[in-house]
Amino acid sequence: MSEPLDPPTGLWSDDARWAASTIGFPVLLLDAQRRVHLANPAAQALAGKLDLEPAAGAESLVALVSDAQWESALRDGYWKGVVRPDPEHPLALEIHCGQSPDTPHCLMVLVDISARDERQRQYAELQRTVERLATTQEQLLRSEKMASIGQLAAGVAHEINNPIGYVGSNLGTLQEYSAALLALVEKYHEALFSEDPAARRQEIMQARQQLDIDYILGDLPNLLKESREGIERVTKIVQDLKDFSRVGRDQKMQPADLLQGLDSTLNIVWNDLKYKVRLEKHYSSLPLVECLASEINQVFLNLLLNASQAIEQRGTIVLASGCDDKEVWISISDTGCGIPPEVMPHLFDPFFTTKPIGRGTGLGLAISYSIVAKHHGRIEVTSTVGQGSTFRVVLPIRQPQDATQEAAKLPSDVE
Ligand SMILES: Nc1ncnc2c1ncn2[C@@H]1O[C@H](COP(=O)(O)OP(=O)(O)OP(=O)(O)O)[C@@H](O)[C@H]1O
Ligand SMILES: [Mg+2]
């Protein structure tokens, strides 16, 4: 079944026959009478696999071609089509016929479409996996954002609660003060309309003393000033929170003031930091940077929290910035525990954390990395164990063309 039946000499050179026999896909060498001169091993295997007439062997593959198809191949020198539409095992083939009209010889190449379908199926499966991964990443981003929002909420609640607490208590005191002042005004009023106002002077002086008016007059401006500051602080925190989450709405990269973003973010985590951290700022002014400000703020938040968490007792966080004509950088340095060299390669791996369960999810840096990469920037890390670490975010001032539109499609655009 494998070797050609009585091969006519001179039709196919030994080289051509050798080449056909070594090719990995099914190939038949034929003459114009459809006699098989060679069926390579792949063709023989296919004939067996298709469960065609076993005795016919490779000839059974030739029998798949109808007379009309065969004539068309001889006439045009080429024919290609599906010869076996069987859904279980479809088969296509190509026939190439030699140039010489006297001794036409044909090369029949079979294409097992079922294998192609299998590859298509694998491709579709791969695509579905990629889509599932994108959805999972989106969910992760959302949960990371939720986690950091949860972390923030505690700090922000405290930050707001504090001024609201003393503004509330000041209002209570102011209520007492205004009652005393109104009582005194009432005394003045009575005296003014009495027959002898001067005679009431002593009484008024006494009331003034009893009501502690001198103290009230001294304290009142302080209370009002403090209350006003409290309200301003709350307004500022609310504004910072808005800045922090802002812009995320339309997800278009826009020129943004990164130092203002850093300060806003710092403000809302300050409650976590203030008891153990001394802060130094070495800002040099930056141009506006084309970015998704809310996402870059998320990066700052992660880096600030990491820096604070690296400091056990007391330490310093230094914020610095700089730029050249193409890039800006912002660095967050801490005098915390530092990062051992063996940990360095894993820093940006999702779920890599050295923190106790419940403290870290190990997503902060992974998310930050993908946000910065989306902005065509990078995060550089230097660290010495026992001395501290510096995370430097480097961003291009302008995004490459089209990046602004691309950004809107990427899965990290999670509100
Ligand atoms: N400033 C830093 N100093 C020392 N180690 C750091 C610092 N920043 C990150 N690391 C190390 O890198 C690990 C990964 O950081 P990452 O922010 O990704 O996760 P996490 O802080 O552990 O958890 P999450 O941020 O999700 O709450 C940390 O667990 C810590 O070991
Ligand atoms: Mg972290």
Side-chain angles (χ1 to χ4, degrees), residues 193-362:
F193 290 99
S194 66
E195 281 180 6
D196 182 6
R200 307 285 290 268
R201 190 176 292 157
Q202 189 58 29
E203 186 190 334
I204 288 177
M205 292 309 286
Q206 258 176 0
R208 217 187 130 102
Q209 227 169 6
Q210 272 168 2
L211 293 168
D212 231 354
I213 297 299
D214 286 340
Y215 178 81
I216 290 177
L217 291 181
D219 196 31
L220 198 65
N222 287 340
L223 277 186
L224 288 172
K225 182 166 170 277
E226 203 180 72
S227 305
R228 173 173 284 274
E229 282 170 0
I231 296 294
E232 277 166 5
R233 173 108 190 97
V234 173
T235 312
K236 178 89 178 75
I237 292 165
V238 170
Q239 185 56 46
D240 287 337
L241 267 179
K242 273 197 199 152
D243 284 352
F244 181 77
S245 58
R246 201 198 36 165
V247 197
R249 307 257 156 251
D250 60 357
Q251 292 299 336
K252 269 190 87 187
M253 295 220 187
Q254 281 171 352
D257 181 342
L258 292 193
L259 293 178
Q260 191 192 340
L262 180 61
D263 279 341
S264 291
T265 309
L266 180 67
N267 233 341
I268 50 184
V269 289
W270 184 237
N271 188 56
D272 271 7
L273 273 61
K274 64 184 170 196
Y275 298 110
K276 60 177 177 184
V277 168
R278 194 174 64 82
L279 192 73
E280 275 180 35
K281 289 185 188 176
H282 301 296
Y283 290 171
S284 48
S285 62
L286 299 182
L288 296 181
V289 173
E290 196 174 359
C291 66
L292 296 170
S294 66
E295 294 201 352
I296 299 297
N297 287 348
Q298 172 104 18
V299 173
F300 294 152
L301 175 77
N302 290 331
L303 297 181
L304 284 168
L305 289 175
N306 280 350
S308 144
Q309 287 161 1
I311 295 171
E312 264 211 24
Q313 303 285 333
R314 290 199 66 78
T316 305
I317 291 182
V318 180
L319 307 179
S321 65
C323 66
D324 59 25
D325 53 345
K326 289 207 174 63
E327 292 180 331
V328 303
W329 57 265
I330 285 191
S331 68
I332 297 177
S333 309
D334 62 70
T335 56
C337 56
I339 303 165
E342 64 274 17
V343 165
M344 253 330 174
H346 304 293
L347 278 187
F348 297 98
D349 292 353
F351 301 111
F352 174 80
T353 182
T354 55
K355 293 170 192 171
I357 298 169
R359 184 82 199 265
T361 54

Side-chain angles (χ1 to χ4, degrees), residues 8-17 28-31 37-38 96 98 105-108:
T9 48
L11 188 59
W12 291 97
S13 74
D14 284 349
D15 284 348
R17 294 158 63 84
L28 301 177
L29 301 181
L30 312 163
D31 61 23
H37 287 241
L38 184 126
H96 301 263
H105 45 279
C106 304
L107 172 70
M108 193 162 126

